[in-house]
Amino acid sequence: MEKILQTLNMCNFCTHERNNCGAEPVLSQNVTLHNGSQLDSQEAVVACGKYESPIELLKKKFH
């Protein structure tokens, strides 16, 4: 049975702008799942070395 997994794009939750950040992210289209599942988006960023959470940025600024 094929299961479709919901994919979140990390760029939607990052303080950097994708086109200007200089990152080389891993796109969901390059991910191979071995359990028969598929991702619902092939264009989502699923891993990134430059990801910066807005929550962490606020914590640093106000604590």
Side-chain angles (χ1 to χ4, degrees):
M1 180 175 166
E2 189 174 288
K3 185 176 185 180
I4 297 180
L5 302 175
Q6 185 178 20
T7 308
L8 296 176
N9 187 349
M10 290 181 72
C11 292
N12 293 342
F13 305 98
C14 184
T15 58
H16 301 291
E17 290 290 327
R18 181 175 177 186
N19 296 332
N20 299 326
C21 71
E24 294 180 24
V26 175
L27 298 175
S28 55
Q29 67 188 11
N30 299 328
V31 173
T32 303
L33 302 175
H34 298 287
N35 63 358
S37 299
Q38 288 189 351
L39 300 174
D40 68 344
S41 171
Q42 295 299 303
E43 299 298 319
V45 172
V46 294
C48 180
K50 291 204 173 208
Y51 174 77
E52 185 173 29
S53 165
I55 303 297
E56 292 302 317
L57 187 65
L58 289 172
K59 283 182 183 177
K60 289 178 191 174
K61 190 173 184 177
F62 295 109
H63 288 242

